mmCIF file of all heavy atoms in Angstrom:
data_model
loop_
_atom_site.group_PDB
_atom_site.id
_atom_site.type_symbol
_atom_site.label_atom_id
_atom_site.label_comp_id
_atom_site.label_asym_id
_atom_site.label_seq_id
_atom_site.Cartn_x
_atom_site.Cartn_y
_atom_site.Cartn_z
ATOM 1 N N LEU A 202 63.289 -28.786 49.238
ATOM 2 C CA LEU A 202 63.426 -27.838 48.129
ATOM 3 C C LEU A 202 62.212 -26.924 48.052
ATOM 4 O O LEU A 202 61.083 -27.393 48.131
ATOM 5 C CB LEU A 202 63.495 -28.601 46.805
ATOM 6 C CG LEU A 202 64.841 -28.862 46.151
ATOM 7 C CD1 LEU A 202 64.622 -29.488 44.794
ATOM 8 C CD2 LEU A 202 65.641 -27.620 46.010
ATOM 9 N N ASP A 203 62.445 -25.624 47.886
ATOM 10 C CA ASP A 203 61.375 -24.695 47.551
ATOM 11 C C ASP A 203 61.551 -24.313 46.092
ATOM 12 O O ASP A 203 62.652 -23.940 45.684
ATOM 13 C CB ASP A 203 61.450 -23.425 48.403
ATOM 14 C CG ASP A 203 60.878 -23.628 49.791
ATOM 15 O OD1 ASP A 203 60.337 -24.719 50.049
ATOM 16 O OD2 ASP A 203 60.971 -22.703 50.612
ATOM 17 N N ILE A 204 60.478 -24.404 45.309
ATOM 18 C CA ILE A 204 60.552 -24.022 43.897
ATOM 19 C C ILE A 204 59.540 -22.916 43.636
ATOM 20 O O ILE A 204 58.341 -23.098 43.862
ATOM 21 C CB ILE A 204 60.292 -25.227 42.962
ATOM 22 C CG1 ILE A 204 61.279 -26.353 43.250
ATOM 23 C CG2 ILE A 204 60.400 -24.791 41.503
ATOM 24 C CD1 ILE A 204 61.041 -27.615 42.452
ATOM 25 N N ARG A 205 60.042 -21.758 43.198
ATOM 26 C CA ARG A 205 59.167 -20.644 42.806
ATOM 27 C C ARG A 205 59.212 -20.539 41.288
ATOM 28 O O ARG A 205 60.290 -20.503 40.695
ATOM 29 C CB ARG A 205 59.658 -19.327 43.418
ATOM 30 C CG ARG A 205 59.519 -19.262 44.919
ATOM 31 C CD ARG A 205 59.520 -17.827 45.443
ATOM 32 N NE ARG A 205 60.442 -16.940 44.766
ATOM 33 C CZ ARG A 205 61.711 -16.725 45.142
ATOM 34 N NH1 ARG A 205 62.214 -17.376 46.164
ATOM 35 N NH2 ARG A 205 62.469 -15.874 44.473
ATOM 36 N N ILE A 206 58.023 -20.494 40.668
ATOM 37 C CA ILE A 206 57.958 -20.476 39.206
ATOM 38 C C ILE A 206 57.203 -19.241 38.744
ATOM 39 O O ILE A 206 56.124 -18.944 39.243
ATOM 40 C CB ILE A 206 57.252 -21.746 38.674
ATOM 41 C CG1 ILE A 206 57.984 -22.990 39.146
ATOM 42 C CG2 ILE A 206 57.174 -21.722 37.155
ATOM 43 C CD1 ILE A 206 57.197 -24.264 38.972
ATOM 44 N N ARG A 207 57.803 -18.517 37.788
ATOM 45 C CA ARG A 207 57.114 -17.411 37.117
ATOM 46 C C ARG A 207 56.839 -17.882 35.695
ATOM 47 O O ARG A 207 57.754 -18.339 35.010
ATOM 48 C CB ARG A 207 57.985 -16.158 37.068
ATOM 49 C CG ARG A 207 58.340 -15.585 38.413
ATOM 50 C CD ARG A 207 59.070 -14.244 38.303
ATOM 51 N NE ARG A 207 60.099 -14.214 37.274
ATOM 52 C CZ ARG A 207 61.365 -14.560 37.465
ATOM 53 N NH1 ARG A 207 61.761 -15.011 38.637
ATOM 54 N NH2 ARG A 207 62.245 -14.473 36.477
ATOM 55 N N VAL A 208 55.598 -17.758 35.263
ATOM 56 C CA VAL A 208 55.254 -18.233 33.916
ATOM 57 C C VAL A 208 54.497 -17.154 33.171
ATOM 58 O O VAL A 208 53.652 -16.464 33.748
ATOM 59 C CB VAL A 208 54.471 -19.578 33.956
ATOM 60 C CG1 VAL A 208 53.135 -19.430 34.639
ATOM 61 C CG2 VAL A 208 54.291 -20.165 32.583
ATOM 62 N N LYS A 209 54.857 -16.964 31.888
ATOM 63 C CA LYS A 209 54.127 -15.997 31.068
ATOM 64 C C LYS A 209 54.184 -16.409 29.610
ATOM 65 O O LYS A 209 55.025 -17.224 29.224
ATOM 66 C CB LYS A 209 54.676 -14.585 31.250
ATOM 67 C CG LYS A 209 56.120 -14.393 30.884
ATOM 68 C CD LYS A 209 56.540 -12.973 31.182
ATOM 69 C CE LYS A 209 58.012 -12.782 30.841
ATOM 70 N NZ LYS A 209 58.489 -11.472 31.230
ATOM 71 N N GLY A 210 53.282 -15.856 28.817
ATOM 72 C CA GLY A 210 53.213 -16.167 27.390
ATOM 73 C C GLY A 210 52.415 -17.429 27.133
ATOM 74 O O GLY A 210 52.153 -18.210 28.037
ATOM 75 N N GLY A 211 52.011 -17.615 25.880
ATOM 76 C CA GLY A 211 51.313 -18.832 25.488
ATOM 77 C C GLY A 211 49.912 -18.936 26.049
ATOM 78 O O GLY A 211 49.383 -18.000 26.637
ATOM 79 N N GLY A 212 49.317 -20.115 25.898
ATOM 80 C CA GLY A 212 47.981 -20.384 26.423
ATOM 81 C C GLY A 212 48.060 -21.224 27.679
ATOM 82 O O GLY A 212 49.149 -21.500 28.186
ATOM 83 N N MET A 213 46.905 -21.637 28.172
ATOM 84 C CA MET A 213 46.858 -22.392 29.439
ATOM 85 C C MET A 213 47.632 -23.704 29.351
ATOM 86 O O MET A 213 48.431 -24.027 30.233
ATOM 87 C CB MET A 213 45.403 -22.687 29.826
ATOM 88 C CG MET A 213 44.644 -21.471 30.308
ATOM 89 S SD MET A 213 43.016 -21.882 30.934
ATOM 90 C CE MET A 213 42.203 -22.553 29.508
ATOM 91 N N THR A 214 47.388 -24.464 28.298
ATOM 92 C CA THR A 214 48.027 -25.776 28.162
ATOM 93 C C THR A 214 49.537 -25.637 28.000
ATOM 94 O O THR A 214 50.304 -26.340 28.657
ATOM 95 C CB THR A 214 47.443 -26.534 26.958
ATOM 96 O OG1 THR A 214 46.024 -26.606 27.120
ATOM 97 C CG2 THR A 214 48.006 -27.930 26.863
ATOM 98 N N ALA A 215 49.967 -24.714 27.153
ATOM 99 C CA ALA A 215 51.404 -24.512 26.928
ATOM 100 C C ALA A 215 52.085 -24.070 28.223
ATOM 101 O O ALA A 215 53.196 -24.504 28.526
ATOM 102 C CB ALA A 215 51.632 -23.486 25.834
ATOM 103 N N GLN A 216 51.414 -23.239 29.010
ATOM 104 C CA GLN A 216 51.986 -22.791 30.284
ATOM 105 C C GLN A 216 52.175 -23.961 31.241
ATOM 106 O O GLN A 216 53.195 -24.062 31.918
ATOM 107 C CB GLN A 216 51.109 -21.720 30.933
ATOM 108 C CG GLN A 216 51.267 -20.362 30.289
ATOM 109 C CD GLN A 216 50.634 -19.249 31.097
ATOM 110 O OE1 GLN A 216 49.923 -19.485 32.081
ATOM 111 N NE2 GLN A 216 50.877 -18.026 30.683
ATOM 112 N N ILE A 217 51.200 -24.866 31.294
ATOM 113 C CA ILE A 217 51.312 -26.014 32.194
ATOM 114 C C ILE A 217 52.441 -26.944 31.754
ATOM 115 O O ILE A 217 53.205 -27.442 32.581
ATOM 116 C CB ILE A 217 49.956 -26.739 32.310
ATOM 117 C CG1 ILE A 217 49.062 -25.893 33.211
ATOM 118 C CG2 ILE A 217 50.119 -28.150 32.853
ATOM 119 C CD1 ILE A 217 47.687 -26.354 33.417
#
Side-chain angles (χ1 to χ4, degrees):
L202 261 186
D203 281 355
I204 303 176
R205 292 201 321 269
I206 302 166
R207 297 187 316 271
V208 64
K209 60 183 179 185
M213 288 187 297
T214 305
Q216 283 192 351
I217 284 177

